């Protein structure tokens, strides 16, 4: 079975430049460019958030598209579902703005759009091969990979550290 | 080497395209590679919503309306954007006027006998400048007058009781009143730069309108610096008269010692030209046929307009001249010198020679230039180039077989002289009559740089083509002039294909009255970037002739591929002079709709001028034509 890719974060590489936030908003604008996006209504919104963990760690945080997503279960109007690419999506037409999804989301990454009165979240940029946040990240803190490939690298790094430790 | 069309997204200049291909082949990184590596560029910087003016920062304001809505100190987006703009204007002003101050010091040293290699080349201009400044000239020695002019120039930098002379005496009376009314008359050139640094400090000016008025005042100080730069250079090195030359990399010669003067101030480059001929024997002894001096960027324009020295290339393609392998040395002074030149020179076996204390580049050879020993220092630089030639002699070079014919050297004085051949008693009459009868629909000044974000020369080319067809008289300065000259816009042979019938008739009539046997070139080369002052001089002369202020004339300006903060300050003084002024790249102001609105609209109520920001060259040209037509209507034409 085809394994979908996820957006992963190398927190040690994030400098909190917030380029991902800007490019996310631009990618979700009608004009598709920054200068145009600034003039648009409804205002395009970033769907990920760079959070600061004192004293010096920055974490870009966004919808994890959980396999067993609490928001899908909680949505009273049936607006939230999982599509065949395994992406959790919100159908704005069905969204009634009850904010139950916000209440149950463990990551706090569902936003409320004050102009449209709808919720919004990461949609994994369905029209792009790589999500805008990932392709714009100047330090490659954000990566778009399968669990298998990401974990492989984590294991390799852990293994090399382990061996280096043995050599001391 | 053939032209590779795939490089059209980087440059429209075929010579540059060939060198980009060579750089790729050799694995040498150029400005286009670095631009690619830099993308995506920071959205906060791009919109002007990043502030680093204090140590609590950096602060960023969310351009999409959520938190943070202000900086840590409480600065709004409007304040942040206006503060940045002010600092850019101050930097541009500091640079142009620093150039002018350098000339003033040189002139002062000359009058004291401390700079023996400099002389007064144009005593007529010296006297006309002195008279304009209100200095006595009758029965006085030229050196005495020059000393007074140099003193007056240096005095214009500090805050003083009297106005900045190079601002107050160069605009219309109406402009003095209009600028006084909004508090935009500078008290001293350096004073305005310094005051902007003060007011943009942490916790000082936090009112966008007040900040922008200060920016306009500093922009007027920039006009003073530019005008002074032109005046003093004309006095010391001669006021340009039409010359015939060539442009582009085809002007490099495989069998000669090729030396490029790059930067801005003729104080240095004039000396290179002066000594080059006398060093022919040394070059011959090294196996060369002689010394070939070419220009890059504005000092190239200064040499072109006065000595017909060919222009090699401009602005964003400066590295490409080195890629030919034929350029033995680039001698630089200051401004627009990309530090990357040193790396490219190292790869190509060439040499970068810096000469100014304020502009050293790690890895370059530094020969400290002094006015006291100017010719000797210039010889030292040429000798260094000869030494490089000795090493590269016999090795293959790739000089693109690309060059354009250029007629340059259109100072205000030489334009008036050319018009005087049509009407000796009333030289401006033929020009004004043709504006009135519509043969000339309006005038457009092209200025500024080549920006890596735009395929090199694209905006200049598209806009100039459109405006010339619509009978707009086009004049150009700086690397804008460079772009247009490399594409044949300064070759009189192209008048037929480029210009509308009305303009064609006017250029032909003036050319023939001057015994050229043909027209003037389609675009008139006014000189370097400080020589934007020449455009102001022409506009002021036209306004005074017609008895209206400069903001009523069908005259527009454009910097369609701007880079430098100097282009920002020039744009501000064009707006202060009342001109609709187009910028073809985004200024980082969009983060503040209020500031954007002031610059593109509300400022009209203050100076009559305003900015037009449009990244599409074709629609920008349409907007400039509409602005010209609006002004014609205002004049009842």
């Amino acid at each position: 079975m085809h394994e979908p890719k996820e957006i992963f974060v190398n927190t040690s590489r994030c400098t909190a430049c917030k380029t991902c936030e800007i490019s996310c908003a631009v990618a979700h604008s009608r004009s598709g460019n920054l200068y145009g996006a600034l003039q648009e209504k409804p205002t395009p919104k970033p769907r990920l958030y760079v959070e600061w963990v004192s004293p010096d760690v920055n974490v870009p945080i966004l919808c994890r598209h959980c396999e067993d997503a609490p928001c899908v279960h909680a949505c009273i109007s049936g607006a939230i579902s999982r599509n065949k690419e395994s992406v959790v999506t919100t159908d704005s037409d069905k969204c009634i703005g009850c904010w139950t999804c916000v209440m149950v989301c463990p990551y706090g990454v569902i936003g409320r759009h004050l102009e449209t009165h709808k919720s919004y979240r990461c949609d994994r940029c369905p029209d792009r091969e790589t999500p805008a946040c990932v392709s714009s990240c100047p330090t490659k803190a954000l990566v778009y990979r399968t669990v298998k490939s990401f974990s492989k690298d984590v294991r390799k790094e852990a293994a090399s550290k382990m061996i280096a430790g043995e050599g001391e | 080497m053939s032209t590779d069309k795939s490089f059209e997204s980087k440059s429209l200049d075929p010579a540059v395209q060939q060198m980009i291909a060579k750089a790729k082949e050799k694995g040498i990184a150029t400005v286009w590679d670095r631009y690619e590596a830099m993308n995506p560029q920071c959205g906060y910087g791009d919109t002007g919503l990043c502030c680093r003016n204090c140590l609590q920062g950096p602060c960023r304001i969310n351009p999409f309306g959520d938190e943070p809505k202000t900086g840590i100190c409480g600065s709004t987006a409007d304040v942040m954007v206006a503060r940045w703009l002010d600092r850019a204007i101050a930097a541009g002003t500091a640079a142009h006027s620093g150039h002018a101050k350098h000339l003033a010091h040189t002139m002062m040293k000359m009058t004291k006998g401390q700079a023996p290699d400099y002389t007064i080349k144009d005593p007529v201009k010296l006297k006309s400048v002195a008279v304009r400044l209100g200095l006595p000239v009758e029965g006085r020695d030229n050196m005495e007058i020059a000393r007074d002019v140099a003193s007056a120039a240096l005095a214009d930098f500090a805050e003083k009781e009297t106005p900045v002379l190079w601002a107050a005496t160069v605009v219309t009376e109406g402009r003095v009143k209009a600028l006084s009314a909004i508090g935009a008359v500078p008290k001293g050139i350096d004073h305005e730069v310094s005051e902007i640094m003060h007011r943009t400090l942490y916790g000082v000016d936090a009112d966008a309108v007040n900040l922008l008025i200060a920016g306009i005042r500093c922009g007027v100080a920039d006009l003073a610096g530019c005008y002074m730069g032109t005046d003093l250079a004309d006095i010391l090195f001669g006021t340009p008269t039409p010359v015939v030359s060539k442009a582009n990399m085809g002007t490099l010669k495989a069998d000669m010692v090729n030396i490029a003067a790059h930067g801005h101030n003729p104080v240095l480059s004039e000396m290179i030209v002066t000594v080059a001929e006398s060093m022919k024997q040394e070059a011959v002894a090294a196996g060369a046929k002689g010394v070939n001096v070419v220009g890059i960027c504005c000092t190239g324009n200064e040499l072109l307009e006065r000595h017909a020295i060919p222009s090699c290339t401009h602005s964003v393609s400066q590295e490409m001249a080195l890629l030919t392998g034929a350029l033995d040395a680039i001698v630089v002074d200051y401004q627009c010198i990309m530090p990357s030149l040193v790396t490219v020179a190292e790869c190509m076996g060439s040499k970068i020679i810096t000469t100014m204390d304020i502009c050293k580049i790690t890895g370059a050879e530094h020969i400290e230039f002094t006015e006291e020993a100017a010719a000797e220092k210039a010889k030292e630089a040429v000798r260094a180039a000869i030494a490089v030639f000795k090493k590269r002699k016999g090795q293959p070079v790739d000089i693109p077989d690309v060059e354009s014919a250029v007629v340059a050297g259109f100072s205000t004085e030489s334009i008036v002289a050319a018009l005087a051949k049509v009407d000796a008693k009333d030289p401006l009459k033929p020009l004004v009559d043709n504006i009135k009868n519509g043969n000339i629909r309006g005038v457009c000044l092209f200025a500024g740089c080549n920006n890596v974000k735009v395929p090199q020369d694209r905006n200049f080319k598209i806009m100039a083509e459109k405006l010339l067809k619509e009978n707009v008289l086009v004049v150009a300065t700086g690397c804008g002039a460079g772009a247009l000259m490399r594409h044949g816009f300064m070759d009189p042979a192209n008048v037929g294909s480029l210009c509308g019938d009305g303009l064609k008739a006017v250029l032909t009539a003036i050319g023939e009255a001057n015994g050229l046997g043909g027209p003037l070139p389609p675009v008139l080369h006014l000189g370097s970037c400080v020589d934007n002052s020449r455009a102001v001089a022409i506009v002021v002369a036209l306004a005074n002739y017609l008895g209206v202020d400069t903001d009523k004339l069908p005259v527009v300006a454009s910097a369609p591929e701007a880079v430098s903060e100097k282009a920002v300050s020039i744009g501000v003084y064009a707006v202060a002079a009342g001109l609709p002024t187009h910028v073809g790249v985004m200024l980082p102001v969009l983060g503040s709709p209020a500031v954007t609105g002031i610059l593109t609209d509300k400022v009209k109520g203050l100076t009559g001028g305003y900015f037009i920001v449009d990244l599409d060259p074709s629609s920008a040209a349409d907007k400039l034509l509409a602005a010209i037509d609006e002004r014609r209507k205002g004049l009842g034409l």
Side-chain angles (χ1 to χ4, degrees):
Chain A
M1 194 185 153
H2 166 73
E3 186 182 354
K5 289 180 180 176
E6 306 295 334
I7 296 171
F8 290 112
V9 181
N10 285 317
T11 53
S12 62
R13 300 185 75 108
C14 179
T15 62
C17 73
K18 301 194 175 197
T19 300
C20 53
E21 291 188 7
I22 297 270
S23 61
C24 175
V26 171
H28 292 89
S29 68
R30 287 193 304 280
S31 62
N33 70 73
L34 177 59
Y35 310 133
L38 288 177
Q39 332 277 336
E40 282 175 28
K41 290 286 170 206
T43 313
K45 296 286 181 187
R47 289 136 191 257
L48 82 168
Y49 311 82
V50 178
E51 292 299 335
W52 179 52
V53 182
S54 179
D56 58 2
V57 184
N58 309 302
V59 187
I61 194 158
L62 72 165
C63 176
R64 301 306 316 158
H65 300 278
C66 314
E67 295 282 342
D68 187 11
C71 57
V72 175
H73 298 300
C75 182
I76 198 164
S77 64
I80 305 177
S81 62
R82 172 183 306 283
N83 68 18
K84 59 180 189 307
E85 279 85 34
S86 205
V87 174
V88 176
T89 59
T90 306
D91 180 344
S92 314
D93 289 340
K94 287 188 185 164
C95 174
I96 59 165
C98 69
W99 319 118
T100 311
C101 54
V102 173
M103 211 154 51
V104 300
C105 175
Y107 291 95
V109 290
I110 299 174
R112 171 184 194 163
H113 203 298
L114 293 173
E115 295 154 30
T116 63
H117 312 289
K118 305 284 185 184
S119 71
Y120 62 91
R121 69 158 87 219
C122 168
D123 59 2
R124 277 284 170 78
C125 292
D127 302 329
R128 303 169 64 107
E129 200 173 318
T130 308
C133 57
V134 176
S135 43
S136 73
C137 179
T139 61
K140 310 274 181 284
L142 291 165
V143 294
Y144 190 48
R145 304 170 66 178
T146 59
V147 166
K148 196 171 167 182
S149 129
F150 186 78
S151 299
K152 174 83 175 164
D153 279 5
V154 173
R155 287 198 299 275
K156 283 187 92 161
E157 202 183 328
S160 63
K161 276 184 194 158
M162 202 165 79
I163 297 302
E166 273 178 5
E168 274 169 9
Chain B
M1 199 180 283
S2 67
T3 302
D4 190 332
K5 291 281 175 198
S6 68
F7 295 116
E8 271 184 6
S9 65
K10 298 185 169 71
S11 176
L12 264 52
D13 180 333
V16 174
Q17 289 171 3
Q18 287 180 33
M19 290 303 104
I20 295 173
K22 186 176 176 188
K24 202 175 168 191
E25 206 178 278
K26 291 180 80 80
I28 296 173
T30 68
V31 63
W32 288 280
D33 300 303
R34 293 190 298 274
Y35 174 57
E36 209 173 300
M38 195 57 67
N39 268 307
Q41 288 178 285
C42 173
Y44 297 91
D46 210 2
T47 49
L49 294 178
C50 168
C51 178
R52 293 194 314 159
N53 289 15
C54 87
L55 305 183
Q56 292 181 126
C59 289
R60 284 163 302 184
I61 291 177
N62 187 331
F64 297 108
D66 294 325
E67 291 294 331
K69 290 189 163 94
T70 68
I72 294 167
C73 69
S75 285
T76 58
D78 302 338
V79 169
M80 244 182 224
V81 166
R83 276 198 306 227
W84 166 83
L85 190 60
D86 270 11
R87 285 196 171 193
I89 297 164
T93 304
H96 287 133
S97 67
H99 169 147
K101 199 194 276 175
H102 190 172
L103 281 157
H105 280 303
T106 305
M107 191 185 257
M108 185 58 95
K109 284 178 187 169
M110 173 194 74
T111 65
K112 290 179 181 168
Q114 294 164 352
D117 301 320
Y118 298 90
T119 54
I120 298 166
K121 290 267 169 59
D122 189 347
V124 176
K125 179 117 187 192
L126 170 70
K127 283 180 187 141
S128 80
V129 170
V131 167
R132 196 189 73 219
L133 298 172
L135 299 169
V137 295
E138 282 308 314
R140 299 183 73 204
D141 179 63
N142 283 341
M143 278 295 171
E144 275 177 45
I145 302 171
R147 184 186 291 213
D148 283 358
V149 169
S151 293
L154 293 169
D156 256 0
F157 283 86
E159 186 183 11
K160 57 187 164 86
E161 294 296 322
T162 49
V164 172
L165 285 175
W166 260 271
T169 66
V170 306
V171 295
T172 58
E173 274 179 36
R175 234 2 44 187
V176 173
K177 278 185 201 144
L179 295 172
S180 303
I182 58 168
V185 174
K187 292 183 188 137
I189 301 171
D190 280 354
H191 167 77
E192 298 306 333
V193 173
S194 169
E195 196 197 77
I196 278 191
M197 295 314 286
H198 181 183
R199 74 167 62 233
T200 56
L201 181 91
Y202 173 70
V204 186
D205 203 350
D207 181 88
V209 173
N210 202 43
L211 279 157
L212 293 176
I213 295 284
I216 294 175
R217 190 162 61 241
C218 194
V220 178
D222 187 47
L223 168 62
C226 287
Y227 217 109
M228 186 191 289
T230 300
D231 278 349
L232 303 188
D234 282 355
I235 293 167
L236 288 174
F237 308 117
T239 303
T241 52
V243 290
V244 179
S245 185
K246 285 173 178 169
N248 220 327
M249 288 182 239
T251 59
L252 294 170
K253 304 288 168 235
D255 51 7
M256 293 180 88
V257 175
N258 292 301
I259 179 163
H262 178 15
H264 285 78
N265 206 327
V267 167
L268 166 72
S269 57
E270 280 277 337
M271 287 300 129
I272 302 281
V273 172
T274 306
V275 304
E277 190 51 37
S278 71
M279 294 182 74
K280 188 175 176 184
Q281 280 320 308
E282 285 187 44
V284 169
K289 283 200 175 150
V291 179
N292 180 38
V293 180
V294 297
I296 297 179
C297 290
C298 274
T299 211
N301 282 315
E302 300 269 358
L303 295 180
L304 169 65
E305 66 182 344
R306 296 197 179 87
H307 304 287
I309 294 291
S311 275
C312 180
T313 198
H314 303 90
S315 196
V316 78
S317 56
Q318 54 189 267
E319 294 162 304
M320 299 299 128
L322 289 167
L323 259 302
T324 60
L327 189 50
D328 297 300
I330 302 184
V331 184
V332 308
D333 50 21
Y334 38 56
Q335 299 164 20
C336 308
I337 323 291
M338 297 202 302
S340 63
L341 286 179
V342 169
T343 319
V344 181
E346 204 175 319
C347 295
M348 300 307 301
S350 179
K351 191 167 261 182
I352 307 301
I353 300 166
T354 53
T355 59
M356 299 289 149
D357 183 54
I358 62 158
C359 179
K360 294 184 179 179
I361 307 171
T362 307
E365 179 173 331
H366 188 75
I367 298 173
E368 183 78 24
F369 183 82
T370 63
E371 291 77 46
E372 289 81 354
E376 191 189 312
K377 292 289 177 183
K379 279 183 183 168
E380 214 178 304
V382 176
R383 234 165 246 140
I386 294 173
V388 174
F389 175 86
K390 256 187 184 171
K391 280 191 222 160
R392 76 134 166 117
K393 190 177 55 183
Q395 285 175 27
V397 293
D398 298 296
I399 299 173
D401 185 18
V402 182
E403 54 180 33
S404 316
V406 175
V407 174
F410 292 94
S411 56
T412 317
E413 292 83 348
S414 71
I415 291 174
V416 171
L419 291 169
K421 293 278 169 63
V422 183
D423 189 336
K425 282 185 191 152
D426 201 356
L428 287 179
K429 191 170 181 289
L431 183 59
V432 170
D433 283 350
N434 278 293
I435 293 174
K436 285 184 176 166
N437 69 20
N439 274 337
I440 295 175
R441 188 161 161 186
V443 181
C444 179
L445 163 69
F446 280 107
C449 336
N450 283 133
N451 188 315
V452 71
K453 294 177 180 175
V454 180
Q456 185 184 18
D457 308 335
R458 183 198 67 185
N459 291 359
F460 285 110
K461 203 165 168 275
I462 292 175
M463 292 181 73
E465 273 167 3
K466 202 159 188 173
L467 294 176
L468 288 171
K469 277 270 177 278
E470 294 293 335
N471 298 306
V472 173
L473 176 66
V474 176
V475 296
T477 59
C479 290
L484 293 169
M485 75 173 77
R486 279 181 287 101
H487 291 278
F489 286 81
M490 294 183 185
D491 181 352
N494 294 332
V495 163
S497 60
L498 287 169
C499 302
D501 290 339
L503 181 61
K504 204 183 297 176
V506 176
L507 293 174
T508 306
I510 299 171
E512 281 174 356
N514 282 272
L516 301 178
L520 296 180
V523 174
L524 303 183
H525 177 275
L526 297 189
S528 66
C529 46
V530 291
D531 291 336
N532 280 302
S533 63
R534 300 194 201 276
V536 172
I538 294 165
V539 172
V540 167
L542 281 176
N544 285 336
Y545 186 90
L546 287 165
V548 297
D549 199 1
T550 43
D551 66 336
K552 301 288 183 285
L553 297 175
V555 179
V556 296
S558 172
E561 301 179 23
V563 173
S564 172
E565 287 163 311
K566 295 195 301 163
V568 178
S569 55
I570 290 169
V572 171
Y573 76 64
V575 169
L579 308 189
T581 301
H582 166 249
V583 185
V585 292
M586 198 49 82
L587 292 169
V589 297
L590 280 195
S592 164
V595 171
T596 307
I598 291 170
L599 297 175
T600 55
D601 179 33
K602 291 202 176 67
V603 65
K604 209 188 281 188
L606 302 178
T607 71
Y610 54 94
F611 281 102
I612 298 165
V613 182
D614 192 337
L615 275 52
D616 176 346
S618 185
S619 87
D622 289 338
K623 285 175 189 163
L624 290 179
L625 285 168
I628 284 172
D629 290 346
E630 192 188 336
R631 300 247 159 141
R632 289 188 69 90
K633 213 173 153 192
L635 288 171
L637 298 176

